[in-house]
């Protein structure tokens, strides 16, 4: 096993069957988690970077079969934050020690380039020492360029699955698997720090699909990689599929850390929703980012990608001290820093 883990470190060519062996049994878990933790400490020490997540809108023009905010979900009450509300979130976040703001929404046409660029400009004027991360879905190259020119630093866009047939099982026909990949190339090319990723245990996903996701990430070489378990949502066509597996998600975090030593890898809200200690376990398996929720409390439950989303406990930005205690208990340290990628 030691041998396997050593081969995995920063290596592009661990054969598929060996990757499969690591992922499909729990016999290597402790070694794998420990090795990933060593690598993470080599590159990032014990630092845990925090990002203030602001869910600016739950409108979405897409209809992804797994997602609770899909446009076909008529049960959901929709909201959109105003510029004033978003700026108030940033102000509060800054006071709490956040130096990255992540603005995330469904694919909402209301947030045109003009609206977003104005917002980015004002945030950068008020908080010049902060990084801005956007997660607004698929847009044109010109649009990404405008957002970058306005001052946005990073962009998160999960590819969801690298396998075309699997992509078609998760998305309606008007969504093409290549669009995301093309968007990710634009984003990299423009100069964003780019994040991608996928769900673990999404409906119909096979271990082979996961290997394809890892290979796709090797091609893309993203700065951030977000993975979390699939969690079913009652008002979606995929409501009856089982949730993703905790142990597999943790193993994958470790494998990602070994393969992408420099990556910023969050212990996601979905992981914290699946298991109450999910995020600490994620940190111990190699993750080094947490993204507490800075959205106004009244909208947090409405940004429901899946059922039972945690919203007001330690994952909430205002509970920073409690979060710090938890992170410390896992053996790490929350830091107030932009937390840019370290590519050295
Ligand atoms: N369970 C887990 N993650 C989900 N996402 C969307 N719906 C779900 C779900 N039901 C993830 C997708 C998306 C990200 C913002 O949230 O991967 O890219």
């Amino acid at each position: 096993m030691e041998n396997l883990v050593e081969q995995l470190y920063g290596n592009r060519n661990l054969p598929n069957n060996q990757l499969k062996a690591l992922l499909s049994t729990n016999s290597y878990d402790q070694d794998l988690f420990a090795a990933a933790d060593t690598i993470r400490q080599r590159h990032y020490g014990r630092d845990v970077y925090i990002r203030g997540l602001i869910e600016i809108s739950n409108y979405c023009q897409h209809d992804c079969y797994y997602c609770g905010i899909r446009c076909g979900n008529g049960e959901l009450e929709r909201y959109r934050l105003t510029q004033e509300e978003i700026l108030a979130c940033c102000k509060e976040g800054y006071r709490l020690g956040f130096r990255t703001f992540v603005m995330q929404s469904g694919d909402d046409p209301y947030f045109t380039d003009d609206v977003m660029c104005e917002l980015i400009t004002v945030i950068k004027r008020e908080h010049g020492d902060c990084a801005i991360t956007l997660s607004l879905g698929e847009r044109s190259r010109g649009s990404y360029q405008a957002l970058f020119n306005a001052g946005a630093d990073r962009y998160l866009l999960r590819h969801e699955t690298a396998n075309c047939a699997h992509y078609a099982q998760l998305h309606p026909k008007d969504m093409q698997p290549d669009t995301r990949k093309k968007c990710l190339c634009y984003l990299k090319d423009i100069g964003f720090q780019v994040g991608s990723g996928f769900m673990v245990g999404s409906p119909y996903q096979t271990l082979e699909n996961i290997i394809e996701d890892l290979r796709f990430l090797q091609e893309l070489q993203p700065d951030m990689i977000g993975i979390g378990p699939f969690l079913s949502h009652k008002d979606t066509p995929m409501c009856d599929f089982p949730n993703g597996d905790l142990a597999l998600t943790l193993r994958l975090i470790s494998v990602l850390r070994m393969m992408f030593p420099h990556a910023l890898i969050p212990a996601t809200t979905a992981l914290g929703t699946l298991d109450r200690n999910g995020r600490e376990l994620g940190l111990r398996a190699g993750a080094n980012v947490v993204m507490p929720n800075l959205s106004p409390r009244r909208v947090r439950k409405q940004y429901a990608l899946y059922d039972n989303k945690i919203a007001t406990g330690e994952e909430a930005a205002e509970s920073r001290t409690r979060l710090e205690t938890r992170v410390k208990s896992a053996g790490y340290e929350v830091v107030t820093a932009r937390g840019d990628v370290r590519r050295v």
Side-chain angles (χ1 to χ4, degrees):
M1 173 62 196
E2 231 164 66
N3 195 13
L4 257 192
V5 166
E6 209 36 56
Q7 284 178 50
L8 191 56
Y9 177 37
N11 189 298
R12 304 179 63 89
N13 297 315
L14 192 69
N16 288 359
N17 60 347
Q18 295 193 7
L19 270 177
K20 262 195 216 169
L22 277 179
L23 291 172
S24 55
T25 139
N26 61 8
S27 22
Y28 308 126
D29 283 7
Q30 291 318 314
D31 289 341
L32 188 60
F33 299 157
D37 188 55
T38 306
I39 301 310
R40 161 252 178 72
Q41 293 202 34
R42 198 177 289 171
H43 289 261
Y44 285 101
R46 297 184 168 273
D47 289 2
V48 170
Y49 303 106
I50 51 172
R51 320 300 195 192
L53 179 64
I54 310 172
E55 296 153 334
I56 64 176
S57 160
N58 70 353
Y59 283 89
C60 192
Q61 56 184 348
H62 290 310
D63 211 21
C64 311
Y65 301 142
Y66 48 85
C67 182
I69 68 168
R70 62 201 296 268
C71 62
N73 180 6
E75 301 299 310
L76 184 68
E77 203 185 313
R78 305 281 168 170
Y79 75 89
R80 213 173 255 138
L81 300 185
T82 63
Q83 176 162 314
E84 289 66 40
E85 287 174 310
I86 298 169
L87 292 173
C89 293
C90 294
K91 195 167 183 183
E92 171 68 357
Y94 194 88
R95 193 184 67 76
L96 290 165
F98 290 89
R99 295 297 177 267
T100 292
F101 302 118
V102 181
M103 287 186 275
Q104 185 169 78
S105 71
D107 224 312
D108 180 0
Y110 171 84
F111 287 98
T112 58
D113 295 347
D114 284 351
V115 172
M116 279 315 300
C117 288
E118 151 92 9
L119 186 58
I120 293 163
T121 309
V122 179
I123 296 175
K124 280 284 177 172
R125 196 163 60 216
E126 294 187 359
H127 306 290
D129 54 339
C130 292
I132 294 182
T133 304
L134 302 175
S135 178
L136 309 172
E138 300 170 359
R139 301 171 82 101
S140 69
R141 183 180 177 119
S143 169
Y144 290 140
Q145 185 71 60
L147 301 172
F148 185 76
N149 293 349
D153 303 273
R154 310 182 186 136
Y155 204 101
L156 304 176
L157 183 69
R158 290 187 178 178
H159 66 278
E160 311 298 357
T161 172
N163 179 283
C164 292
H166 186 219
Y167 192 94
Q169 289 174 307
L170 298 177
H171 301 94
K173 282 207 171 52
D174 65 326
M175 292 182 74
Q176 301 301 322
D178 288 346
T179 313
R180 293 263 166 126
K181 293 181 181 170
K182 215 162 38 188
C183 288
L184 286 161
C185 289
Y186 295 153
L187 290 161
K188 272 214 95 162
D189 213 37
I190 289 167
F192 280 99
Q193 290 176 45
V194 171
S196 196
F198 57 93
M199 292 178 286
V200 181
S202 59
Y204 310 109
Q205 185 186 54
T206 63
L207 211 48
E208 282 74 19
N209 293 151
I210 294 179
I211 307 284
E212 287 176 72
D213 289 322
L214 296 176
R215 300 302 178 205
F216 171 71
L217 292 172
Q218 283 183 317
E219 269 171 53
L220 181 69
Q221 287 296 316
D223 305 289
M224 294 90 80
I225 305 175
I227 61 163
F230 162 76
L231 300 171
S232 65
H233 185 295
K234 62 180 183 357
D235 300 317
T236 64
M238 293 185 154
C239 57
D240 290 330
F241 282 87
N243 288 341
D245 182 68
L246 175 69
L248 178 59
T249 309
L250 296 173
R251 260 176 242 144
L252 263 167
I253 289 177
S254 291
V255 166
L256 288 170
R257 171 59 63 206
M258 300 294 293
M259 291 173 81
F260 304 93
H262 64 271
L264 292 156
I265 301 177
T268 55
T269 308
L271 192 56
T273 299
L274 183 65
D275 184 292
R276 56 187 299 278
N277 287 318
R279 276 171 320 161
E280 285 91 329
L281 294 170
L283 292 175
R284 289 213 204 102
N288 62 342
V289 172
V290 282
M291 301 170 66
N293 200 321
L294 258 186
S295 311
R297 275 166 171 268
R298 69 180 164 80
V299 303
R300 285 182 196 169
K301 284 281 178 198
Q302 279 162 265
Y303 200 86
L305 306 175
Y306 42 78
D307 289 332
N308 307 315
K309 179 188 162 206
I310 45 174
T312 51
E314 277 84 2
E315 74 292 339
E318 65 272 15
S319 319
R320 215 196 120 168
T321 353
R322 274 191 286 160
L323 173 76
E324 255 166 58
T325 314
R326 276 197 167 223
V327 168
K328 230 183 200 129
S329 75
Y332 307 101
E333 200 77 47
V334 171
V335 296
T336 295
R338 273 176 52 127
D340 289 296
V341 70
R342 287 188 202 160
R343 278 245 175 231
V344 279

